[in-house]
Amino acid sequence: MTFQEFKEAYAIRLNPAQERAVEATEGAVLLLAVPGSGKTTVLVTRLGYMILGRGIAPRSILTMTYTVAATHDMRERFCALFGEEYRNEVEFRTINGVCARIIRAYERMTGGTAFSLVTDEKELSMLITAIWRETVSGEYPTESDIKNVRTQITYAKNKLLTADEIAAMDKKLGIPFAAIYKKYGETLRRERRMDYDDQMLYAYRILRQYPEILRSIRERYTYLCVDEAQDTSKIQHVIISMIAERGNLFMVGDEDQSIYGFRAAYPEALLRFEQDHPGALILRMEENFRSCPEIVGAADRFVSRNRERYPKTMRAVRREKGVFSEIPLVSRGAQYAYLLKVARECRTVTAVLYRDNESAIPMIDLLERNGVSYRVRAMETSFFTHRVIRDITAIIRFAMDPYDTDAFLQIYYKISTYLSKTVATAMANYCREGRGSVWEVMDQMSGISTGTRKSCTAVRGQLYRLAADRGDAAIHRIEHQLGYGEYLERVGIKTNKLAILRAVGRHEPSPASLLTRLETLSLLVQDRQAPEACRFILSTVHSAKGLEYDTVYLTDVIDGIFPEVAVVSTAEADRDELAAYEEDRRLFYVGVTRAKNRCHLFTYADERSSFADELLQKGRFAPTALLSAEKSKTPVAARAESYERFRQRFVGGTVLTHKQFGKGTVISNVEDVLLVRFENGATKRLSLKFLYSEDLLTQ
């Protein structure tokens, strides 16, 4: 059957780029598909053409995708188009499903029994809890601690990290991760069990150690199709490459949509596809059928600033006008009242998208208080057990009950008491013996320095006043008057969660009622069930990937949250910072391209937002500023003279103000690189040429 006959027989309607992808059935092919370009349609149609047009045996084709749900969806779409008789003929599997088949082949060949797969995450969490108590401390880890360790274990295995690389993670994570990782693996092996990541590792080792199994897999599957290739990890790419010996490998993905770095996604495999597969064909589908031209144009300009990507231009197929707009607000807190009104008047499918789950909590709180219907996608509860939340809870408990020695011992060194561990422990012990409250015991004790006693008296007064505060005022007092904010800065923990608590506390008359409200919200988040017909949806961008909405609101697009770390100078950022920044840009791009007709971006007068400036072409990203910068490149002699005058201003002791980092003092100027100590205590190396060309200094 010719391709033309195939199209007519099955009423196939494709654009030229899609047709070219469908017809490319032999060899190594990488299809780069921008958002809304119809990649699933192409994948399914290509499978049909391979079988019905090219006569390729269905059982010789293996199609892999990222999730079980995606395999089911693809199978249903294939059968609906080409017939139920192929339901059991064409294989749609996840990579773990393929690895399970490899392990079963190992069992058949050796007569042995492979380790059992642990499918219950609660079992693994209990194991990590036990190891944490042995390795880190006698305390139980929080839900967020367990989640973090579990994520890092997955990362290490999927990245195929060496023992030295795993050991290096200890410093980055601030826990003895290498010891936890080793104990975790030893325990599973001793009990003859494996997790999903082990399943891939063991399959990889089997393919390496048993060539006859690898040969049988290769002979079975002579054609491989891989969907969502940008989300697959290093070990997954290695396994896929081992199987695809004959070279008939069709990978569909978009490095601009690779947003699972924390799960060890490996978009580098797409960028080096031609290197790994000599003679490979690189195809592009650049037409977006989903979004209006305003959204497509803004998103394409934005993501094109990334360096690690293929050159491509996303174009809108739709011609009807849509809306891409900024909603300027005085503060982050103002967005909640705005969105409450949107939810009340919602008539079309509308999504509020954010980077982290915790951004939804103030919105959920307000919607619940007002009885407004909403849906939440894949909400997590780790916020409520995070160490910061536990500390705030302990401070409030101790403020209300100075006999609560457990709360006191949890927080005394995190607020401005300046007590030593020995003295604090003695105070708690005397209190437990019935000698009075913690503060009364302190009054009776000798050996406490005058300065420490004075600090404790000040803390005591702040805690007394705290009990009468409104919820948000209490959080402000804890952060600024009690010194907890200084503690977080000292240990490198961001204050984002305090902002969430302030937003919820704004509606609570006291710290005690704030704690009660947090307990209520925790239960609501766990048990919330909303009708599918509800049009107002809250979701992280990660959970919204692959979906589309009539209208999208992007919230908390603030430097420090989204992006997590703002990179002002790509020349001065280290490799890890730049990689994280580019992934955050990809994540934001995915969020914008979920919108079909309207995309709104909140900005806040009291917060900086690099991404908002880029997307909205403001400040140094404005077309006029870029044009001015381009014009300033000539004449060369005049520009060189101007730069020399600029350079000579900065000697040791010079005070400057950076638009991003604030006021600082020059320590040294060596070979046009400034060493500057800023008022927040940070010391940075800054390129004078970049400061000059980008106009980053206000004086």
Side-chain angles (χ1 to χ4, degrees):
M1 185 186 297
T2 66
F3 184 58
Q4 185 61 37
E5 291 170 339
F6 169 75
K7 289 195 299 179
E8 292 173 358
Y10 293 95
I12 303 296
R13 298 288 183 270
L14 303 171
N15 64 28
Q18 292 172 330
E19 286 191 356
R20 191 177 179 199
V22 169
E23 289 187 276
T25 60
E26 303 296 319
V29 181
L30 174 61
L31 175 61
L32 300 169
V34 304
S37 60
K39 70 176 181 61
T40 304
T41 297
V42 167
L43 257 171
V44 170
T45 304
R46 182 177 179 275
L47 287 171
Y49 178 60
M50 290 172 73
I51 296 166
L52 299 163
R54 300 296 305 275
I56 296 170
R59 287 185 174 273
S60 67
I61 306 170
L62 174 61
T63 300
M64 289 178 279
T65 192
Y66 195 57
T67 65
V68 173
T71 63
H72 291 329
D73 176 62
M74 203 173 296
R75 180 181 290 107
E76 293 307 316
R77 292 181 65 170
F78 180 85
C79 292
L81 191 56
F82 299 111
E84 282 293 323
E85 62 268 29
Y86 293 105
R87 179 172 293 276
N88 298 318
E89 295 293 312
V90 181
E91 287 196 42
F92 298 92
R93 292 184 180 273
T94 62
I95 186 68
N96 278 97
V98 174
C99 290
R101 170 158 287 195
I102 292 168
I103 291 172
R104 286 198 297 272
Y106 163 80
E107 289 179 312
R108 287 194 301 269
M109 192 191 80
T110 64
T113 302
F115 292 173
S116 61
L117 180 65
V118 182
T119 58
D120 186 354
E121 278 293 323
K122 289 182 180 178
E123 286 188 50
L124 298 176
S125 295
M126 289 173 63
L127 173 57
I128 290 171
T129 298
I131 296 171
W132 178 284
R133 297 195 69 196
E134 292 176 19
T135 311
V136 182
S137 69
E139 294 182 6
Y140 284 94
T142 67
E143 183 182 342
S144 61
D145 291 330
I146 295 171
K147 178 187 173 187
N148 184 43
V149 169
R150 189 77 184 90
T151 300
Q152 298 303 328
I153 289 172
T154 290
Y155 180 87
K157 291 179 180 179
N158 276 265
K159 277 284 191 181
L160 292 173
L161 297 185
T162 65
D164 288 343
E165 289 171 327
I166 292 170
M169 295 174 71
D170 285 12
K171 184 176 180 181
K172 176 183 176 183
L173 301 176
I175 57 173
F177 175 74
I180 295 172
Y181 181 87
K182 182 179 179 182
K183 183 74 172 176
Y184 176 85
E186 288 174 346
T187 304
L188 286 180
R189 287 191 295 274
R190 186 174 63 249
E191 297 175 358
R192 296 189 58 78
R193 301 196 301 169
M194 62 181 171
D195 61 23
Y196 280 105
D197 305 309
D198 289 327
Q199 190 178 48
M200 291 187 291
L201 280 172
Y202 294 151
Y204 167 59
R205 291 170 188 166
I206 289 168
L207 293 179
R208 291 183 62 189
Q209 295 171 16
Y210 296 89
E212 55 271 51
I213 294 178
L214 177 57
R215 185 169 55 252
S216 68
I217 295 289
R218 286 171 170 172
E219 290 173 353
R220 170 70 187 271
Y221 302 118
T222 54
Y223 291 86
L224 272 69
C225 307
V226 181
D227 189 20
E228 302 289 5
Q230 76 281 346
D231 294 333
T232 50
S233 67
K234 186 173 185 178
I235 190 173
Q236 292 169 347
H237 278 290
V238 170
I239 291 171
I240 290 166
S241 295
M242 291 176 76
I243 297 173
E245 183 214 21
R246 298 196 182 186
N248 294 320
L249 174 62
F250 184 71
M251 299 191 79
V252 183
D254 179 10
E255 79 287 356
D256 286 336
Q257 298 182 73
S258 181
I259 59 174
Y260 292 105
F262 63 94
R263 294 181 189 166
Y266 192 61
E268 294 93 332
L270 273 65
L271 296 172
R272 52 178 293 149
F273 191 80
E274 290 175 288
Q275 181 180 336
D276 292 341
H277 305 277
L281 180 64
I282 309 295
L283 301 177
R284 291 169 172 79
M285 296 199 315
E286 300 174 293
E287 290 186 322
N288 179 300
F289 293 87
R290 174 189 299 149
S291 305
C292 64
E294 292 81 359
I295 294 171
V296 170
D300 184 67
R301 284 195 309 272
F302 178 78
V303 80
S304 66
R305 294 184 61 83
N306 270 1
R307 295 182 174 184
E308 297 298 315
R309 66 188 297 267
Y310 282 99
K312 51 185 177 294
T313 302
M314 181 169 60
R315 301 182 298 274
V317 173
R318 294 174 49 191
R319 291 291 173 260
E320 61 271 26
K321 285 188 173 294
V323 175
F324 180 83
S325 73
E326 172 190 12
I327 302 175
L329 299 173
V330 293
S331 68
R332 183 182 178 188
Q335 67 187 345
Y336 306 119
Y338 189 103
L339 288 170
L340 176 63
K341 184 178 180 182
V342 171
R344 280 175 166 155
E345 300 173 357
C346 189
R347 297 292 181 271
T348 59
V349 179
T350 299
V352 178
L353 302 183
Y354 35 83
R355 188 184 194 280
D356 299 317
N357 270 297
E358 61 192 44
S359 290
I361 291 171
M363 194 68 239
I364 291 172
D365 176 56
L366 199 57
L367 292 167
E368 288 286 348
R369 290 177 189 274
N370 288 273
V372 178
S373 182
Y374 65 96
R375 276 191 287 156
V376 184
R377 286 188 54 82
M379 185 68 181
E380 294 180 351
T381 60
S382 58
F383 170 85
F384 300 98
T385 63
H386 191 275
R387 292 190 177 276
V388 170
I389 309 305
R390 291 176 66 187
D391 285 346
I392 296 296
T393 300
I395 292 170
I396 293 173
R397 279 173 42 211
F398 184 62
M400 296 187 297
D401 179 12
Y403 289 86
D404 190 337
T405 54
D406 290 339
F408 170 70
L409 289 175
Q410 182 180 331
I411 55 90
Y412 75 89
Y413 61 94
K414 300 174 184 177
I415 56 178
S416 304
T417 66
Y418 302 106
L419 289 165
S420 68
K421 184 176 182 180
T422 300
V423 172
T425 303
M427 289 167 63
N429 288 337
Y430 290 147
C431 177
R432 288 164 181 161
E433 291 172 4
R435 300 190 189 185
S437 72
V438 169
W439 297 126
E440 290 169 342
V441 165
M442 183 193 73
D443 292 338
Q444 301 164 21
M445 289 177 63
S446 60
I448 301 176
S449 70
T450 302
T452 299
R453 196 177 293 277
K454 185 177 180 181
S455 296
C456 286
T457 300
V459 166
R460 185 178 185 176
Q462 291 291 347
L463 289 172
Y464 178 79
R465 288 186 284 276
L466 176 76
D469 281 339
R470 197 175 69 177
D472 55 341
I475 301 303
H476 185 274
R477 187 185 299 276
I478 290 169
E479 181 179 0
H480 298 288
Q481 273 76 53
L482 282 165
Y484 186 68
E486 294 177 10
Y487 162 77
L488 292 181
E489 184 177 353
R490 195 162 62 245
V491 297
I493 298 176
K494 294 182 178 180
T495 60
N496 297 341
K497 289 176 175 56
L498 299 183
I500 301 298
L501 291 178
R502 279 196 298 272
V504 176
R506 192 170 295 120
H507 307 286
E508 292 299 334
S510 70
S513 66
L514 173 58
L515 295 188
T516 301
R517 184 59 181 170
L518 289 176
E519 291 177 4
T520 301
L521 285 172
S522 177
L523 294 173
L524 283 170
V525 167
Q526 291 179 55
D527 302 331
R528 174 77 187 176
Q529 291 185 348
E532 286 295 317
C534 179
R535 296 188 181 94
F536 189 75
I537 301 159
L538 307 178
S539 175
T540 61
V541 179
H542 284 105
S543 295
K545 188 171 182 290
L547 303 176
E548 57 184 42
Y549 307 97
D550 180 81
T551 303
V552 163
Y553 290 86
L554 289 156
T555 68
D556 286 356
V557 185
I558 299 167
D559 289 358
I561 298 178
F562 201 2
E564 190 170 16
V565 177
V567 172
V568 177
S569 165
T570 56
E572 294 163 12
D574 64 35
R575 185 176 178 181
D576 290 343
E577 286 176 337
L578 194 57
Y581 190 62
E582 291 212 347
E583 175 157 326
D584 270 355
R585 187 185 273 116
R586 295 194 296 265
L587 184 64
F588 191 56
Y589 169 74
V590 168
V592 172
T593 54
R594 298 310 94 196
K596 294 195 291 185
N597 299 312
R598 287 171 289 277
C599 183
H600 305 289
L601 170 63
F602 288 115
T603 58
Y604 319 100
D606 60 347
E607 298 281 2
R608 287 175 174 164
S609 176
S610 301
F611 282 178
D613 288 350
E614 284 189 40
L615 197 66
L616 299 166
Q617 296 183 287
K618 297 167 65 176
R620 65 190 179 96
F621 300 105
T624 51
L626 294 172
L627 181 62
S628 175
E630 187 67 28
K631 287 180 178 178
S632 73
K633 292 179 182 179
T634 57
V636 174
R639 189 173 79 254
E641 183 180 342
S642 174
Y643 172 71
E644 183 60 24
R645 289 196 302 270
F646 175 82
R647 187 183 69 81
Q648 290 176 358
R649 288 167 48 193
F650 301 101
V651 296
T654 303
V655 176
L656 56 78
T657 301
H658 192 287
K659 291 180 180 179
Q660 175 73 14
F661 304 128
K663 187 170 289 187
T665 302
V666 176
I667 300 172
S668 64
N669 179 357
V670 179
E671 295 182 351
D672 287 6
V673 175
L674 297 184
L675 188 64
V676 181
R677 181 178 291 113
F678 289 93
E679 288 186 340
N680 64 3
T683 300
K684 295 183 178 292
R685 291 169 57 84
L686 304 175
S687 163
L688 264 176
K689 290 181 179 178
F690 188 80
L691 293 174
Y692 174 78
S693 65
E694 298 294 323
D695 189 26
L696 293 177
L697 300 181
T698 59
Q699 63 183 58

